[in-house]
Amino acid sequence: AFPVKIFEYVGVGLPVILAPKGEAGDIIESQFLGKVFSNSAVKEMAETIRSYRLKPSLNKASDNFSRQFQAKKILDYIK
């Protein structure tokens, strides 16, 4: 499963903090869009969120997750 919120966060250039690990997490980490944790890694999640506050946004990745890009991909499948 790939939660819709992930598209929204990445679409506006925000890094993703995701728990638990799974299919969506594999994509997040392979595309360097954020970090994935086990549910019990609360302290590590908080530290990562603090560190992301100091980093620039993910603007280069956001184009592939924008609503326009996703709508175009869907239209291509429909045609």
Side-chain angles (χ1 to χ4, degrees):
F2 202 93
V4 173
K5 284 285 184 204
I6 293 174
F7 286 102
E8 294 174 355
Y9 296 151
V10 175
V12 296
L14 294 174
V16 176
I17 301 295
L18 185 66
K21 296 182 177 188
E23 181 180 81
D26 294 341
I27 295 169
I28 294 302
E29 288 188 331
S30 70
Q31 299 295 311
F32 305 102
L33 300 172
K35 193 158 181 178
V36 182
F37 299 91
S38 65
N39 285 341
S40 61
V42 176
K43 183 177 179 182
E44 292 86 357
M45 284 186 237
E47 289 170 1
T48 301
I49 292 168
R50 283 189 205 105
S51 74
Y52 281 158
R53 290 183 65 207
L54 304 174
K55 292 182 180 181
S57 66
L58 300 168
N59 289 330
K60 66 179 185 140
S62 64
D63 291 340
N64 293 332
F65 288 85
S66 69
R67 289 188 185 267
Q68 292 83 4
F69 183 82
Q70 295 300 315
K72 183 182 180 320
K73 283 180 72 172
I74 291 170
L75 286 175
D76 291 343
Y77 286 117
I78 293 172
K79 292 179 184 179

